[in-house]
Amino acid sequence: MLHGKSIAIVDSAGGEYIWQFDQQSFSDTFFDSLAEALAALHSTDHDAAAKASVRIKSPKEARESFSSNIDQIKRSFTIPIILR
């Protein structure tokens, strides 16, 4: 939904990040900006977000949802032993 090129994407086969830029080229400004964005995201007022129709999950709910998704994937695909 954002314009421009992603910093990294997740490799669906291996689950690892594939960096789109040389990691050594990131400046302090990049890291400061990223830190500010993450801090702002994590300090979002949950009630305001819910009123704006943003799906809200507690950390426990997020972990359970992620675990459930992984279980569903395991039932649908053969996962190599090295990735388990």
Side-chain angles (χ1 to χ4, degrees), residues 9-25:
I9 59 173
V10 177
D11 175 14
S12 58
E16 296 181 20
Y17 283 104
I18 298 175
W19 294 93
Q20 303 294 314
F21 297 89
D22 176 21
Q23 295 177 48
Q24 303 304 318
S25 69

Side-chain angles (χ1 to χ4, degrees), residues 6 11-12 18 23 34 36 38 47 51 58 64-65 79-80:
S6 300
D11 175 14
S12 58
I18 298 175
Q23 295 177 48
L34 177 60
E36 287 177 22
L38 290 174
D47 292 333
K51 286 179 186 173
S58 69
E64 288 171 351
S65 178
I79 307 296

Side-chain angles (χ1 to χ4, degrees), residues 7-65:
I7 294 294
I9 59 173
V10 177
D11 175 14
S12 58
E16 296 181 20
Y17 283 104
I18 298 175
W19 294 93
Q20 303 294 314
F21 297 89
D22 176 21
Q23 295 177 48
Q24 303 304 318
S25 69
F26 296 148
S27 67
D28 288 342
T29 303
F30 167 79
F31 290 109
D32 291 343
S33 175
L34 177 60
E36 287 177 22
L38 290 174
L41 177 66
H42 285 274
S43 64
T44 299
D45 180 284
H46 289 185
D47 292 333
K51 286 179 186 173
S53 300
V54 174
R55 183 179 52 200
I56 305 296
K57 290 184 181 181
S58 69
K60 181 181 180 203
E61 291 169 325
R63 285 189 296 273
E64 288 171 351
S65 178

